[in-house]
Amino acid sequence: MSANEDQEMELEALRSIYEGDESFRELSPVSFQYRIGENGDPKAFLIEISWTETYPQTPPIISMNAFFNNNISSAVKQSILAKLQEAVAANLGTAMTYTLFEYAKDNKDQFMENHNPINSTTTISNIISIETPNTAPSSKKKDKKEQLSKAQKRKLADKTDHKGELPRGWNWVDVVKHLSKTGSKDDE
């Protein structure tokens, strides 16, 4: 079988195996990422495997340069890559992407035993907030609320209920009065 046929068969197998798996991501038909560990796990890491033109007769390119891995020290990354390269040497000539992903999942704790997360985020306690001073001039008068007379307040109270709302239909037109004033055209 040619390298391309092997790659096509492995691609189909990977798609069917990892269908619905949120950890697996196909970047292109020859490049794949797999997140080892749960989202939010400080010991989780991402492996990217890219096939060469002659893969599986030649080893794939394995990378841990994804942004997701920024909190992992380079020594731990090199250690993981070295162990994965040993697995590549043992499986050379066969489809090994699935094997490498599973090997990494099975040995995650061993791979990350020397891992101490690198804290690259800025701590919030170091950020000082500065309040803006009140720059409004004191000579500016505040808007006064409209003052109502006692008579206006009584009239408003008579129109509204205890909640201050106007009763239903307060602005309805009396149909009989309206028609008597306008005169209907049927009377003629």
Side-chain angles (χ1 to χ4, degrees):
M1 231 185 261
S2 73
N4 284 344
E5 290 171 343
D6 285 343
Q7 288 180 10
E8 287 174 21
M9 287 178 59
E10 186 172 4
L11 179 60
E12 286 178 34
L14 288 171
R15 285 177 177 162
S16 66
I17 291 169
Y18 291 117
E19 182 178 348
D21 189 343
E22 292 179 11
S23 297
F24 178 76
R25 190 164 162 214
E26 181 181 332
L27 302 175
S28 73
V30 295
S31 185
F32 312 93
Q33 281 184 343
Y34 197 85
R35 184 183 68 238
I36 310 298
E38 295 299 315
N39 230 353
D41 180 1
K43 291 193 173 192
F45 57 94
L46 194 77
I47 296 175
E48 184 175 325
I49 296 179
S50 300
W51 297 342
T52 58
E53 283 187 32
T54 55
Y55 170 85
Q57 282 69 36
T58 57
I61 300 165
I62 303 173
S63 170
M64 290 189 67
N65 293 333
F67 181 77
F68 188 85
N69 296 331
N70 278 355
N71 65 338
I72 301 172
S73 69
S74 59
V76 172
K77 287 182 192 177
Q78 291 303 320
S79 170
I80 294 170
L81 289 173
K83 291 173 183 170
L84 288 171
Q85 290 300 338
E86 291 172 14
V88 167
N91 292 299
L92 199 58
T94 62
M96 68 182 92
T97 304
Y98 171 78
T99 308
L100 293 173
F101 287 151
E102 292 303 308
Y103 175 72
K105 281 187 348 187
D106 294 343
N107 295 296
K108 173 189 163 229
D109 294 329
Q110 179 188 351
F111 287 174
M112 299 299 281
E113 66 186 357
N114 296 326
H115 171 62
N116 294 320
I118 299 170
N119 190 3
S120 61
T121 59
T122 306
T123 56
I124 296 174
S125 62
N126 293 340
I127 299 172
I128 300 170
S129 64
I130 301 171
E131 291 184 22
T132 57
N134 188 0
T135 57
S138 59
S139 62
K140 188 175 181 183
K141 293 181 182 177
K142 292 182 180 179
D143 292 333
K144 288 190 175 182
K145 195 173 184 181
E146 185 180 335
Q147 297 291 324
L148 298 176
S149 67
K150 280 187 180 180
Q152 288 173 323
K153 287 179 185 177
R154 261 190 238 119
K155 192 174 180 182
L156 186 62
D158 289 342
K159 286 184 181 178
T160 61
D161 61 3
H162 68 281
K163 294 180 186 174
E165 296 175 1
L166 294 170
R168 182 172 181 256
W170 68 272
N171 62 348
W172 292 358
V173 175
D174 185 356
V175 176
V176 175
K177 284 184 184 176
H178 177 70
L179 289 177
S180 66
K181 287 181 184 177
T182 58
S184 77
K185 294 187 179 184
D186 295 338
D187 293 340
E188 293 176 4

